Amino acid sequence: MSLLPILEFPDPRLRTIAEPVTEFNDELRQLVKDMFETMYDAPGIGLAATQVNVHQRIITIDTSEEKDNPLVVINPQIEVLAEETERMQEGCLSVPGFYEDVVRPNKIRLTAQNELGEEYVLEADDLLAVCIQHEIDHLEGKLFVDYLSPLKRSRIRSKLDKLHRQKV
Ligand code: GNR
Ligand code: NI
């Protein structure tokens, strides 16, 4: 098991579009384990492979209070089930320290595969629906800051740039 380093905005690698997973092998299952370890350690309720610089369509999620309900989401597809939207304050492990409201559809159907390649379908609302959409955005190279005004986004970029310079 190992903790994986998480890329931070505005790292251009976060803009990579992830490729579908075609081989459900032990290497994939080890990556999924490491992603869960990294996500729980952070701590976060979701993690997309893009954030750990692996550009494949792999997501780990656990929105449960007890952190005992891991969900593996590979090659996801979603369908919006209702007109209703949800405004939720979002954060991101790749945009540490910033939390802003984002509006998204609040009821979705997810079709995805698990780490064995088995397909499943799940209906989600509220936090789980938001989290799934947030993670799928990562696989498309998209971040929650892209929904904010250009001014807010550039303020966040300069603050993180400054922090990153201090770390080096
Ligand atoms: O831990 C996380 N919390 C969160 C809160 C509201 C909406 C989305 C999220 S996902 C985030 C972890 C993360 O960055 N996943 O990509
Ligand atoms: Ni995120």
Side-chain angles (χ1 to χ4, degrees):
M1 299 273 274
S2 42
L3 291 178
L4 308 170
I6 297 176
L7 302 178
E8 293 186 2
F9 177 71
D11 192 313
R13 292 173 291 183
L14 288 167
R15 299 308 187 178
T16 312
I17 295 176
E19 300 283 348
V21 171
T22 54
E23 289 209 54
F24 293 81
N25 54 22
D26 288 346
E27 194 187 339
L28 171 72
R29 285 181 281 276
Q30 186 57 52
L31 172 65
V32 167
K33 279 186 191 167
D34 291 342
M35 285 177 62
F36 273 114
E37 191 186 359
T38 303
M39 181 187 85
Y40 287 127
D41 178 76
I45 59 170
L47 186 70
T50 308
Q51 294 176 277
V52 294
N53 202 27
V54 174
H55 302 289
Q56 295 186 53
R57 304 184 81 79
I58 307 165
I59 293 166
T60 56
I61 291 180
D62 191 341
T63 57
S64 71
E65 290 282 332
E66 306 291 335
K67 298 296 159 214
D68 58 357
N69 195 16
L71 179 67
V72 178
V73 182
I74 297 174
N75 298 333
Q77 287 184 292
I78 56 168
E79 199 185 321
V80 173
L81 294 184
E83 297 277 309
E84 296 146 68
T85 55
E86 181 127 57
R87 175 189 299 272
M88 199 178 279
Q89 197 170 63
E90 296 196 17
C92 181
L93 297 172
S94 296
V95 192
F98 296 88
Y99 303 88
E100 297 286 346
D101 279 0
V102 177
V103 174
R104 301 184 189 268
N106 81 341
K107 207 169 185 331
I108 61 165
R109 179 182 293 128
L110 168 70
T111 305
Q113 286 165 286
N114 66 14
E115 70 278 20
L116 301 173
E118 298 162 340
E119 189 175 286
Y120 64 88
V121 181
L122 171 157
E123 288 185 9
D125 53 18
D126 300 324
L127 182 61
L128 180 58
V130 167
C131 186
I132 290 168
Q133 293 173 80
H134 175 114
E135 303 312 336
I136 292 176
D137 275 354
H138 277 301
L139 303 182
E140 297 299 327
K142 192 161 185 178
L143 297 167
F144 86 92
V145 296
D146 300 344
Y147 297 100
L148 309 179
S149 70
L151 179 62
K152 270 192 178 169
R153 188 163 52 252
S154 68
R155 282 183 177 147
I156 293 173
R157 184 188 295 114
S158 27
K159 285 177 188 167
L160 283 174
D161 270 339
K162 206 169 173 181
L163 282 172
H164 294 149
R165 282 199 301 273
Q166 285 168 351
K167 271 186 209 166
V168 177

